[in-house]
Amino acid sequence: MTTVLFYVFAGIAIGAAIGVVISRSPVGSLLFMVTTLAAIAGTFVLMEAHFLAAVQVIVYAGAIMVLFLFVIMLLNLGHEAQRDLKGGAFAVVAAGVGGAMAGMLALQLRGADVAATGAGAEAIAAATAEYGAVGAIARPLYTTYVVPFEITGILLLVAIVGAVVLAKRSDA
Amino acid sequence: MEPISGVPALIAMALKGPIIFGIVMVVVAYTTLAERRVSAWIQDRSGPNRVGPFGLLQPIADGIKNIIKEETLPATASRFFFILAPILVLVPSLVTFAVIPFAAPLPTPWGVVDMVIADLPIGILYVLAFSSLAVYGVVLGGWASNNKYAFLGGLRASAQMVSYEVSLGLSLIAVLMLAGNVTLTEIIWKQQQLGMWFALPLSLAFILFVISAFAETNRLPFDMPEAESELITGYHTEYSAMKFSAFMISEFGHMVTASAMMATLFFGGWDLPGTWDDAFWYQGQLISGFAADGSVILANPAWWKTLLTFAGFGAKTALFLVLYIWVRWTLPRFRYDQVMSLGWKVMLPTALAYMMLIAGTILTLDTIGMTWGFGYGLALTAVSGAATVAFVFFLDRGRTIAGAAAQRAQRVEVKTIPGAVARAGR
């Protein structure tokens, strides 16, 4: 059952990812992107990473919504975008780079033990049983990795301040 | 009592889903009727009372009407997205109910059945995830209609829902900090253990949550995306028949889910006063509490407890549905800039400050070694109550609380002109 569902989600994710690239309308691309991320969230659920799945949807759904607004505000309404970016040479280069990346991934994963077994899986199951799905992630995040976590927070704050400064400057 | 397992568990699963879905759909249908009847009472009219006794068959008549109406498709709309939008709106509003526990566990000969469709370990995050997806259908519908009113409605909806999602999430953090977990069953259990519902110890979070939920469901006074005096009906202007109905059902579905969430998070969910109905799965046992020496007291589930708690949950949800309708027909609509400034300049800072206050209070109470119970709740109630009074007072700026004296100063007195009286008397 889990294996079947995994292939369903993985198939949707890959199909939609191809859709993002080849879709003619930008809105179509965006919806394919949401589909890809939702399908990846589905595979996270199959791996029992419920929190990651929820955060994947919450964060990316909001982020892509903003992208969505950019697209419909900045591009012509109701007109399909020109295909000027998708020349023959471009397609060959894109396919080459994509193929190379897929090949490297396949090379790395060949023969590797990707199933969730062994000591790591047991440790995860124990932590989840003790602290719950969210606590199992929150505990290491706020104890062992608290410094990198806070630095990421500062980075985001700087980005927000920068965005506000830029928006104000162009306004004046 | 053992939890249900094996084939009976699968059967229970297969039964719970459709039954709850059916109940939610019926409640949604009758909420539309309730809205029309209550609005009629508020405005001193009769409302729809012709179809069936008290108009009770009106939702069925509406449904049949919407099914047999002609579907229209604007010539300039993008066909695929136009049809996709109502689906994208409808699904998130109906699936969120799956994680909300609606009654105490029900004992059966095969084991105890939990009265929740899926008690996910991420509970409330699941609701947030789907509610953040709901805005896609609205924006897509507005965009695909290729109509400027619909488009503006869609844009407003996106801006409003993204803005208020922030304060909604922050007001929830207070609940999560107090409950210590995100699963809704455990949030209810913590309220049972505390001896009071979270609306008291987290009063300001409750107020912020209600306001944000009103904005998230696009209900008056926050119905800017479909403000009919400005935008016809906003994002669903071009929709007719069942596609329009899908938008309508999703709006009411969101209302029902939001009401159920308010009841669960702040009014104890299916919990009724007293400890007779308390039940929670703790290390594989259904317990109703802890004895003084730390040992567990086993719960004693019964079918009448399930029935009573289900009624209690229904009553609480209905209370918030009535609040929704009541507010809609009482308050006028905000201006768009007022919606935005309320969201970013009032709700967000308040939610942040309140989160810090509650975190500090919880830390203090835990440090001085106060045990989880009624006294703990009272201490938090005092702190939250002070914060709530301050919030309401500053938001009100002396308009209502200061009362008649302040209003008299603002009143424009009608001056009597002697000549006018003389003329009137002539």
Side-chain angles (χ1 to χ4, degrees):
Chain A
M1 184 69 179
T2 312
T3 318
V4 174
L5 278 177
F6 172 77
Y7 282 112
V8 169
F9 281 126
I12 293 172
I14 292 171
I18 294 170
V20 174
V21 185
I22 64 170
S23 168
R24 284 196 196 178
S25 84
V27 173
S29 286
L30 280 174
L31 285 179
F32 273 125
M33 196 163 163
V34 179
T35 316
T36 311
L37 294 169
I40 292 173
T43 59
F44 284 157
V45 171
L46 292 181
M47 291 181 236
E48 307 257 314
H50 296 98
F51 178 70
L52 211 53
V55 167
Q56 165 101 355
V57 174
I58 293 171
V59 171
Y60 282 120
I64 294 174
M65 194 67 240
V66 176
L67 206 62
F68 193 101
L69 292 178
F70 273 121
V71 167
I72 56 180
M73 298 285 274
L74 300 179
L75 297 180
N76 278 338
L77 249 183
H79 296 289
E80 292 189 342
Q82 302 300 313
R83 299 187 67 198
D84 51 4
L85 269 179
K86 294 171 184 163
F90 183 78
V92 172
V93 172
V97 173
M101 278 178 73
M104 278 169 72
L105 261 179
L107 218 63
Q108 283 292 317
L109 289 178
R110 195 184 53 183
D113 182 20
V114 289
T117 51
E122 278 167 26
I124 291 171
T128 311
E130 192 170 354
Y131 305 121
V134 180
I137 288 184
R139 224 157 253 278
L141 199 61
Y142 284 99
T143 52
T144 320
Y145 302 106
V146 67
V147 175
F149 180 75
E150 293 294 336
I151 290 173
T152 317
I154 293 172
L155 188 69
L156 287 174
L157 185 66
V158 169
I160 294 169
V161 172
V164 170
V165 167
L166 285 177
K168 285 280 174 193
R169 186 182 291 161
S170 63
D171 212 38
Chain B
M1 295 287 269
E2 288 292 307
I4 196 164
S5 59
V7 178
L10 284 179
I11 294 171
M13 209 65 187
L15 284 178
K16 270 190 292 188
I19 288 174
I20 289 309
F21 180 74
I23 292 176
V24 170
M25 286 308 279
V26 169
V27 169
V28 164
Y30 278 92
T31 310
T32 63
L33 177 69
E35 168 135 283
R36 296 170 68 183
R37 293 294 305 228
V38 172
S39 73
W41 292 331
I42 289 174
Q43 299 171 341
D44 201 15
R45 297 182 281 121
S46 288
N49 61 357
R50 297 290 108 179
V51 192
F54 309 108
L56 279 178
L57 298 179
Q58 185 71 39
I60 298 166
D62 288 345
I64 294 171
K65 182 191 126 185
N66 273 323
I67 288 170
I68 60 178
K69 254 177 107 169
E70 184 191 355
E71 296 269 356
T72 54
L73 182 72
T76 52
S78 29
R79 192 185 163 80
F80 177 72
F81 296 126
F82 188 79
I83 296 170
L84 184 67
I87 303 170
L88 280 185
V89 162
L90 194 56
V91 172
S93 77
L94 294 179
V95 292
T96 38
F97 219 89
V99 290
I100 299 176
F102 47 86
L106 175 73
T108 60
W110 305 277
V112 179
V113 184
D114 280 329
M115 287 289 110
V116 49
I117 295 176
D119 186 21
L120 294 183
I122 48 170
I124 205 158
L125 297 174
Y126 169 89
V127 178
L128 284 182
F130 273 102
S131 74
S132 69
L133 284 179
V135 66
Y136 276 86
V138 171
V139 177
L140 200 63
W143 177 82
S145 299
N146 208 356
N147 168 324
K148 62 185 167 198
Y149 296 112
F151 182 61
L152 281 173
L155 285 185
R156 282 183 176 188
S158 64
Q160 181 177 316
M161 286 165 102
V162 169
S163 307
Y164 279 84
E165 212 165 46
V166 181
S167 46
L168 185 87
L170 285 175
S171 66
L172 278 178
I173 286 180
V175 177
L176 301 185
M177 279 193 301
L178 193 52
N181 206 334
V182 291
T183 58
L184 291 166
T185 43
E186 185 152 346
I187 289 173
I188 293 174
W189 167 244
K190 288 285 181 182
Q191 299 184 58
Q192 291 171 340
Q193 288 292 292
L194 193 63
M196 62 169 73
W197 297 336
F198 281 171
L200 281 178
L202 297 174
S203 47
L204 189 51
F206 173 59
I207 293 172
L208 294 174
F209 184 83
V210 170
I211 296 174
S212 310
F214 271 64
E216 285 285 300
T217 45
N218 292 333
R219 290 280 299 186
L220 262 166
F222 294 100
D223 72 336
M224 302 313 299
E226 39 190 308
E228 63 269 13
S229 51
E230 305 160 28
L231 298 178
I232 313 181
T233 50
Y235 58 88
H236 54 65
T237 299
E238 296 285 1
Y239 286 90
S240 65
M242 250 352 248
K243 290 212 244 353
F244 165 75
S245 199
F247 279 109
M248 220 51 200
I249 293 170
S250 79
E251 181 182 330
F252 281 88
H254 273 303
M255 264 169 69
V256 173
T257 313
S259 302
M261 286 294 289
M262 289 173 204
T264 306
L265 294 173
F266 295 101
F267 277 78
W270 47 260
D271 181 44
L272 291 174
T275 56
W276 54 275
D277 62 339
D278 295 0
F280 182 66
W281 290 106
Y282 179 76
Q283 294 175 350
Q285 289 172 304
L286 192 66
I287 61 167
S288 73
F290 296 99
D293 59 348
S295 62
V296 297
I297 306 166
L298 289 183
N300 192 16
W303 63 268
W304 57 270
K305 286 183 184 175
T306 304
L307 217 57
L308 272 180
T309 51
F310 182 65
F313 177 72
K316 289 174 195 174
T317 308
L319 180 81
F320 286 110
L321 281 174
V322 171
L323 179 75
Y324 259 108
I325 296 168
W326 191 2
V327 167
R328 170 164 182 184
W329 297 97
T330 308
L331 295 181
R333 181 179 295 135
F334 278 121
R335 230 168 40 219
Y336 187 65
D337 60 315
Q338 290 173 327
V339 172
M340 283 295 130
S341 70
L342 177 71
W344 290 107
K345 293 181 186 166
V346 177
M347 302 282 289
L348 180 61
T350 313
L352 272 174
Y354 184 66
M355 194 179 87
M356 296 302 291
L357 178 72
I358 287 298
T361 314
I362 291 175
L363 187 66
T364 313
L365 290 178
D366 285 345
T367 310
I368 62 172
M370 200 165 219
T371 51
W372 184 260
F374 199 70
Y376 198 101
L378 278 183
L380 270 171
T381 306
V383 172
S384 288
T388 305
V389 168
F391 174 71
V392 174
F393 187 80
F394 283 114
L395 206 62
D396 183 60
R397 285 172 299 190
R399 278 184 208 141
T400 315
I401 293 176
Q407 285 175 13
R408 197 168 298 136
Q410 296 169 356
R411 193 184 296 162
V412 181
E413 297 288 346
V414 180
K415 292 205 177 78
T416 352
I417 305 165
V421 175
R423 271 199 302 277
R426 195 168 54 201

